[in-house]
Amino acid sequence: MIRINLLPHREIKRKARQQQIAVLAGMTGFLGIIAVWGIYTFIAGEIEYQNGRNQYLDDQTAILDKEITEIREIKAQTQELLARKQIVETLQNSRSEVVHLLDQLVRLLPDGVYLQSIKQLDHDINLVGYAQSNAWVSMLMRNLESSPWLESALLIEIKAITINNSRQNEFNMKIKLKRASADGLSNLSFSTTGQS
């Protein structure tokens, strides 16, 4: 006997294929969603990691900026201290200059010359005084030029005046105080003390 299959086998196969396609589509979609989610998670993790690194760099930059500011302040303080040290050294080296100046003026002043005022600005000294004659002023200038502490005697003005019914010559003179090194100062001080 011949068997004839009257069932719609094509319909059943079509439904089976559609189910397979639906299952495959569902699995593909699910795998696609998982892949997209995995890539998104990976990228988000990388962004978060890079943001962490950027934040670390920003924090370190802020620390370095603070340290640079402190270094600048320390350098400014160092420069200020060096300037103060220089001033103290200058004062230390020049503290005896006034004593030597007055000592030299007393020693080198001729008998016929009288000083009215002595003004010092740094190493420039202005002398105003009276002399009995021009020769005494010339002698004073020669004496000042021969001093180891004084130099560049320059007569600014000399004029004849009358003081207490006696004729005098009023003069205005500039001299410079020599700046000597520490060794030179000690040598000069020994030589001047040796003269007395």
Side-chain angles (χ1 to χ4, degrees), residues 6 12 21-22 36 49 68-69 78 81 110 119 128 135 153 158 164 168 170 175 191 195:
L6 298 174
I12 294 172
I21 289 173
V36 168
Y49 174 69
I68 287 171
T69 304
T78 303
L81 289 174
K119 293 181 183 173
V128 176
I158 188 167
N164 296 333
Q168 298 282 329
E170 183 181 25
I175 56 175
S191 65
Q195 289 176 359

Side-chain angles (χ1 to χ4, degrees), residues 10-57:
R10 289 188 182 131
E11 284 293 323
I12 294 172
K13 285 183 182 178
R14 193 177 295 135
K15 283 183 181 180
R17 270 194 228 138
Q18 285 177 347
Q19 279 183 338
Q20 287 176 351
I21 289 173
V23 169
L24 282 174
M27 287 178 58
T28 305
F30 180 72
L31 289 175
I33 290 171
I34 288 178
V36 168
W37 180 78
I39 292 171
Y40 173 77
T41 305
F42 175 75
I43 291 174
E46 288 295 315
I47 290 173
E48 187 177 341
Y49 174 69
Q50 189 61 43
N51 286 339
R53 291 179 66 189
N54 291 346
Q55 184 62 41
Y56 174 78
L57 290 175

Side-chain angles (χ1 to χ4, degrees), residues 120-159:
Q120 181 178 2
L121 180 63
D122 195 25
H123 284 83
D124 294 328
I125 300 160
N126 189 7
L127 301 176
V128 176
Y130 302 105
Q132 293 176 353
S133 70
N134 289 345
W136 291 114
V137 176
S138 297
M139 182 182 290
L140 174 63
M141 289 181 68
R142 281 193 301 274
N143 289 348
L144 293 174
E145 285 289 337
S146 68
S147 170
W149 289 96
L150 305 170
E151 63 183 352
S152 302
L154 176 65
L155 184 64
I156 304 295
E157 177 184 25
I158 188 167
K159 60 183 177 184

Side-chain angles (χ1 to χ4, degrees), residues 85-102:
K85 178 184 172 220
Q86 184 66 34
I87 290 170
V88 169
E89 286 176 353
T90 303
L91 290 174
Q92 184 72 18
N93 288 337
S94 65
R95 68 181 179 172
S96 63
E97 288 179 353
V98 174
V99 174
H100 289 294
L101 169 66
L102 294 176

